[in-house]
Amino acid sequence: MTDVVDVLTRAGALLPLLAQGALVTLEIAAMSLVAAILVAFVVGTARLSAISAIRVAALVFLEIFRGTSLVVQLFFFYFILPLHDVRLSAEATAVLAIGLNLGAYGSEIVRSAIKSIGKGQIEAALSLSLPRWITFSRVILPQALMIMLPSFGNLAIEIAKATALVSLITITDLTQTGHNLITATGETSLVWLIILLIYLLINTPLNLFVSWAEKWASRSRQGKSNAV
Amino acid sequence: MPFDVGFALGILPILLKGAVVTVIATFGGFAGALVGGAVVAAANRSRLLVLRLFARGFVYVVRNTPLLVQLYFVFYVLPGFGITIAALAAGILGLSIHYSAFTAEIYRAGIGAVPSGQFEAADALGLNLWQKWVLVVAPQAIRPVLPVLGNYLIGMFKETPILAAITIIELFGAAQDVAGKTYRYNEPYTLVAVIFLLISIPCSLVVRRLDTTRKRA
């Protein structure tokens, strides 16, 4: 009993600083998610462009950012951009690298979702002589977004996990706070255990979102096929 | 600072030595994940609730926490319990544990795709558990998921730079070493990126090819 109390008091002493680190993790994750979704839409739609140069450029981008790992990209941006007189804070570098890397993965979500919309939808829009832009924004995109939603939830989970790597470029996120606390207190096992739990805490709502979005997407798709 | 080709060629042997460690870690981790995933998948189908809960919990925790933190856990926490292993062994163990959660899910999908008639036929023929699973189910369950496993092998290869964080001098760690000693960042990090691309792009093309020929067959 006293053991449990002892562990809890020790954990309680560590929590305030770890919570601060978790806040930094959440901040970077949120900004990276916005960046990644932006990149995903730009690259994903570019992959489907009618102009072959744009398609090729998007494919090259995708292969480069998927073919090397996020760690390498983080270090590349952190150390090599300043050599070309591009000076970004560590946080901005982190958001840029995570946004580009996971945005590249996300572009496949966008591309496959748009491609999965039936040809009939496009033909119907054409026969109604809707302009191309309206066809895309009012007919294809709303249906594609529904299909994308669960995958973007998973992307958010991947991003939350990927932020742990920013500790390697001097940002005091949750993981780096753990290192600092261990140096200060020597509580190795307890600190890493709490950190694992905090990452679980961050990702559990995202998991719930993914399963909700999956159900919602499949239900509304069924509803549509019943109507037809 | 311009890219110095001479310097780049000079450090190439050091980086390639690191690349050997990368390859060892990748295949070691993948072998561990193939076995670990089978254990988790088996636990998932167990009649014992405790084992099933353990398998679910394991997969959930591993999939929702960063690999980096898992590696720190293996590297820094295990010694506290009297288990001291070399950094590379800890890295391979960490990769194995992490990817077991994913291979377990792949196996589950593969097993789920085997028609139930196959299980029933094996039972009707009086095959024992080993014959049923290894000779009947496994060959049918694994072949369709081979491309997925291949993709995870490539994915694992690309994640090995994280191992540098637990002091393993693999390809990326070697580059960090060079950069730290010479204060030249351009050449080592660019070379690492190029080497990764040179290996991972052909590999993903091979897997894609495998996938399309399988679908056609």
Side-chain angles (χ1 to χ4, degrees), chain A residues 63 66-69 71 75-76 79-80 105 157 161 164 167 175 179 188-189 192 196 199-200 203-204 207, chain B residues 60-61 63-66 68-69 72-73 76-77 158 161-162 165 172 176 185-186 189-190 193 196-197 200 208:
Chain A
E63 288 299 345
R66 268 201 326 193
T68 58
S69 78
V71 190
F75 275 73
F76 199 89
F79 287 107
I80 294 180
Y105 284 94
I157 295 173
K161 290 191 291 175
S167 64
T175 304
H179 272 297
T188 314
S189 321
W192 289 126
L196 279 180
Y199 277 110
L200 277 183
N203 280 331
T204 296
N207 273 288
Chain B
Y60 188 77
V61 170
R63 293 184 72 153
N64 285 292
T65 52
L68 180 65
V69 177
Y72 285 147
F73 205 85
Y76 292 115
V77 176
K158 284 184 292 193
I162 299 181
F172 182 68
Q176 256 184 315
Y185 301 101
N186 204 349
Y189 290 141
T190 308
F196 267 100
L197 280 179
S200 69
R208 208 174 295 170

Side-chain angles (χ1 to χ4, degrees), chain B residues 179-209:
Chain B
K181 279 180 191 140
T182 60
Y183 296 105
R184 299 190 67 113
Y185 301 101
N186 204 349
E187 294 85 356
Y189 290 141
T190 308
L191 276 181
V192 168
V194 170
I195 293 175
F196 267 100
L197 280 179
L198 283 181
I199 299 178
S200 69
I201 289 180
C203 287
S204 48
L205 286 179
V206 169
V207 170
R208 208 174 295 170
R209 187 69 170 274

